[in-house]
Amino acid sequence: MTDPDPPSTLAELIDRQAAITGGKPALVDGEQILSYSDLAGQSMRLAFGFTQHGIAYGDRVGLWLPNTYIWIVSLLALSRIGATAVCINTRFRAAEISDILARTSARALVYAASDSRTDYSKVLDEISPDLLPDLLITTGSSTGTPRSTSIHDLMTVASPVDAAAPGNAAIMFTTSGTTSKPKFVVHDQLSLTRHAQDVAHAFGYAQSETALLQALPLCGTFGLAQALAVLAAGTTSVILPKFDACHAAELIARHRITGFNGTDEMFAMLLAAAGPETFRSVECCGFASFGIADAIEFARDAEQQGLKLAGLYGMSEVQALFARQPDDLPCEKRALAGGRLTSPGAHAEIRDPANGSLLPPGASGELYIKGPSRFSEYFGNPEATKSAIGGDGFVRSGDLAHMTPDGRFIFEARM
């Protein structure tokens, strides 16, 4: 049944779920289990803590964290203020981080305590203090310097903060930037919230027994789209801090994971590490093919080991999980990238690259897409925004694709 008054901000979404589901687990992060009530409360306390340290509506705050419940709490807290989370990949080092912080004029940076892959504090020491924000917030213990504090010290007082509006910028993703500096893809509160609800519905996440493995990085749209959809569905995410196939297989079995999304490389490693009973609870997983020559053959091999896969499509500008192949298609069709549009308000067209004319089903051309999940702008780059979004609202994907007679599209290659 369609919600006649769906939430339009992330804060509204999580507060509504807390009222509905209460003590149901929202996030499982190792031994840390947060219910929906916990998640709403912690994000409210952190939002107030941010404001006490000068973070206000319209400010930008970098999140440089591996997968952790603190990532989600921080995003929700910033959304309550009307501030913008700037996603920073944990693989980035001093040059990339200082560039991102400078070009977004970030007021603060939330960063992790050291883990097995990265010594975050050591990387920050390589950046000139003049290039760092005024406030550094660590997930570990405070360093005791005037500009540094611990995120846990910000979460001591619960006081309502509600400055969120559907149109305010909620998040920035960085593009890959192969020939120039990465662009910053801005999504507002409404874009994230509506897409989360559309994915939850289209992917069937709202079933009571659903538990999804959060293996993809939260700092990218592929991982975050799944995480927010699970929250919109009121079900449970089991967080994997970084991808490890053996750890992933153990979590799948222990928590009776019903599904997740990932890359072909992740699934290949998982299949190599998994035992014959690992996937008994798993229904169907969405996968993106980046490195394999034959997605159909890969999906067939996976299915023989008990893992059913379905092709996906997405990009930062319209978010990940924009389309997915139906579960009931035969493997040779289900494994192909693309699929049926997730949102009933989304549209896809194939146009002739030479003259822009619409092409019929089966004819290959450039994929144009639009929908409620579309980005609002490239931050600080109006020329690039104008070039990407046409007057009709469609985004030029730069991808070669074709439509099928039943209304799906098939991604073929980057143009």
Side-chain angles (χ1 to χ4, degrees), residues 81-123:
I81 301 169
T84 307
V86 179
C87 299
I88 303 177
N89 195 306
T90 56
R91 295 181 182 272
F92 287 172
R93 292 300 178 260
E96 295 97 334
I97 294 166
S98 58
D99 172 66
I100 291 170
L101 294 174
R103 288 200 288 135
T104 61
S105 301
R107 289 287 310 280
L109 174 67
V110 180
Y111 69 98
S114 298
D115 58 28
S116 59
R117 177 187 293 172
T118 304
D119 186 333
Y120 295 85
S121 296
K122 185 176 181 181
V123 175

Side-chain angles (χ1 to χ4, degrees), residues 15 38-49 73 76-77 80 157-161:
D15 289 345
D38 294 334
L39 192 52
Q42 286 201 19
S43 65
M44 188 176 294
R45 288 193 292 274
L46 182 56
F48 182 71
V73 171
L76 295 173
R80 292 184 185 279
V157 178
S159 183
V161 177

Side-chain angles (χ1 to χ4, degrees), residues 22 32 41 114 204 208 296 302 373:
Q32 185 81 34
S114 298
S208 60
I296 296 173
S373 65

